[in-house]
Amino acid sequence: MLVVDDQPLFRAGLVALLNAAPDLTVVGEAGDGVTASALAESSRPDVILLDIRLPGLAALKSVTASARVLVLTTFDLDEYVHEALRLGAAGFVLKESEPARLIAAITAVASGEMQFSPTVMRRLVAAYLRGDSAVSPWSSVGLDELTDREREVLRLVGTGLTNTAIATRLTVTEGTVKTHLNRVMTKLRLTSRAQAVVMAYESGLVIPQAVAKTA
């Protein structure tokens, strides 16, 4: 994985922590988005751990094409969460999280899941409930191209369920769920599971009130 943070001491601590964890290997580190983008292209990491308040953040968009991005920051303000979603991040975890939670989030993101801390999820739902336009970066163009089953998979992804949980709910294999989700992503021109969640809200497939009660 690639660690990207503009604070050298903090970054060094992360690298030491992650290299000591089973099955995790840091292949590089960077202090800005431009360097991170170049390293991502050369080292091809599975996951990039990235500070959202980073110099050259715009480079994140090109980085997401090379690896799954987990945003790590001390800030849980809506504007940062929304920006991370727009840029295709697969998850958002606060720096105050316990090391075990961070490692679990990295493992989950590497396997294709989406990860948000409970605090971040509550803030996202609250933003939808108040009609915040900042959480609506896409139109619903292409939604009518989805089959009924693809719509149902998108709805369940929007509620935060994993592929395994969706497979159980629909009584199908996990591979079938992945196939449906891949088709959804292609038809709606989405680049991450996080964006699929936003689209599920945007399209009205997910009712914010229902999610808020469980967030």
Side-chain angles (χ1 to χ4, degrees), residues 16-189:
L17 170 68
L18 299 177
N19 276 331
D23 303 321
L24 292 182
T25 302
V26 176
V27 297
E29 56 180 285
D32 62 81
V34 175
T35 303
S37 181
L39 284 175
E41 291 184 6
S42 62
S43 60
R44 298 293 178 180
D46 295 321
V47 176
I48 298 174
L49 189 61
L50 180 84
D51 186 345
I52 191 79
R53 300 195 72 193
L54 187 77
L57 177 62
L60 173 61
K61 189 171 183 61
S62 63
V63 168
T64 56
S66 304
R68 296 182 62 77
V69 174
L70 178 63
V71 173
L72 180 66
T73 183
T74 55
F75 298 85
D76 65 342
L77 298 178
D78 295 339
E79 61 185 285
Y80 297 117
V81 180
H82 301 157
E83 184 64 17
L85 287 173
R86 288 192 187 95
L87 294 174
F92 195 108
V93 179
L94 301 182
K95 286 184 176 179
E96 65 190 34
S97 301
E98 295 292 330
R101 176 171 178 77
L102 172 60
I103 292 172
I106 292 171
T107 301
V109 166
S111 67
E113 298 296 341
M114 184 188 70
Q115 286 290 305
F116 289 100
S117 68
T119 300
V120 170
M121 182 57 75
R122 284 194 294 270
R123 293 181 72 91
L124 276 176
V125 172
Y128 280 105
L129 287 172
R130 67 172 179 265
D132 191 339
S133 61
V135 299
S136 301
W138 303 283
S139 70
S140 57
V141 173
L143 195 65
D144 57 348
E145 298 178 11
L146 302 183
T147 66
D148 289 342
R149 180 46 60 93
E150 288 167 354
R151 283 172 178 262
E152 180 64 5
V153 167
L154 177 59
R155 185 186 70 79
L156 293 174
V157 167
T159 64
L161 293 183
T162 64
N163 287 349
T164 301
I166 293 173
T168 299
R169 180 76 63 88
L170 299 180
T171 319
V172 296
T173 66
E174 188 172 349
T176 297
V177 172
K178 290 181 179 178
T179 296
H180 286 310
L181 183 55
N182 286 338
R183 289 173 179 167
V184 169
M185 303 279 281
T186 299
K187 290 179 179 180
L188 300 183
R189 298 182 294 281

